Amino acid sequence: MRALITLLLTTLLVGCAALETTPPTAVHQPMSARPEVRAGVAPANGAIFQAVGSRPLFEDRRARLVGDTITINLAESTTARKASNASASRDGSLSAGITSINKLPLKGLAGLGVEAESESDFSGQGAAAANNLFNGTITCTVIEVYPNGNLLVSGEKQVAINQGNEFIRFSGVVNPNHVTTSNTVQSTQVADARIEYKGSGYINESQVMGWLQRFFLLLLPI
């Protein structure tokens, strides 16, 4: 009895821990980066003008350094359709007969007729359709600057709703030429884009098939 209670408590603890864990991600890591210290820049002097974080008055405010932030407008819309048809048919017939047999041992087969027919038909149809729509906004951080000037950005947004958390993640390679003066870029202009929308909590767990059901699903042939 004591062993059974211990097993149940362990199961409950594991289940509670699973609810609190952050869902795995495939976006580029890390999802944030601190700005790099510029060589030859004096530390903050405490005045209104901070030399360590200053930029020239007429310098573009668009992201270009590690640690800079950039806003991504998520405007993903994908529509795909596919349809195929195939048909085949084949007919065949055979007719043979023996009219007469004279002076032969098998003359009893005279008048025997043989007929055979075969017919084969095949028809197949297939169709598939998919529609995906994802709109929103997320601000990411530049985590790496490539030698050609492209920016590798990554970021995460967490939204807590009652007992569950929603995770919106994004990463990809941004061409600085596509960044607008307001420091924004469309997600459709980002290369190697990875977009995730996941959740955690008991509501999300209730939509997942249990491990025992998945086990029998693998074993059963149907």
Side-chain angles (χ1 to χ4, degrees):
M1 186 65 180
R2 183 177 300 176
L4 180 60
I5 295 176
T6 304
L7 178 61
L8 291 176
L9 291 177
T10 303
T11 304
L12 290 176
L13 291 176
V14 172
C16 293
L19 295 177
E20 298 299 331
T21 56
T22 302
T25 179
V27 301
H28 297 88
Q29 299 296 322
M31 285 186 286
S32 182
R34 292 180 177 272
E36 297 179 351
V37 179
R38 301 187 191 180
V41 177
N45 50 22
I48 296 177
F49 174 78
Q50 300 291 334
V52 70
S54 67
R55 284 188 177 182
L57 180 61
F58 299 101
E59 182 178 347
D60 197 342
R61 292 300 189 266
R62 291 181 293 184
R64 63 182 180 85
L65 301 174
V66 173
D68 290 348
T69 59
I70 183 172
T71 301
I72 309 295
N73 292 325
L74 302 175
E76 297 295 323
S77 179
T78 305
T79 302
R81 295 182 181 275
K82 179 181 179 181
S84 61
N85 295 302
S87 61
S89 62
R90 181 177 181 179
D91 297 330
S93 61
L94 175 65
S95 177
I98 301 176
T99 56
S100 61
I101 301 177
N102 295 323
K103 298 180 180 180
L104 290 176
L106 300 178
K107 63 180 180 179
L109 298 178
L112 182 64
V114 178
E115 294 184 359
E117 294 183 358
S118 64
E119 182 178 352
S120 176
D121 293 325
F122 169 78
S123 178
Q125 295 181 349
N131 295 307
N132 299 294
L133 182 63
F134 194 170
N135 295 323
T137 303
I138 183 173
T139 298
C140 299
T141 304
V142 178
I143 61 176
E144 186 178 352
V145 179
Y146 291 160
N148 62 352
N150 288 344
L151 310 175
L152 177 61
V153 302
S154 182
E156 178 186 63
K157 180 188 292 186
Q158 296 187 26
V159 181
I161 304 176
N162 292 333
Q163 302 298 322
N165 293 329
E166 302 293 329
F167 297 85
I168 303 175
R169 295 162 175 160
F170 181 91
S171 70
V173 179
V174 176
N175 187 338
N177 295 326
H178 296 156
V179 182
T180 65
T181 55
S182 59
N183 197 33
T184 61
V185 65
Q186 299 294 322
S187 62
T188 54
Q189 297 176 317
V190 179
D192 194 17
R194 302 181 185 183
I195 307 173
E196 294 180 355
Y197 182 83
K198 295 183 179 181
S200 65
Y202 70 90
I203 296 179
N204 182 73
E205 291 294 330
S206 64
Q207 302 174 8
V208 180
M209 183 183 297
W211 64 268
L212 187 59
Q213 290 178 301
R214 295 196 299 268
F215 173 76
F216 284 109
L217 186 63
L218 293 174
L219 295 179
L220 294 178
I222 299 178

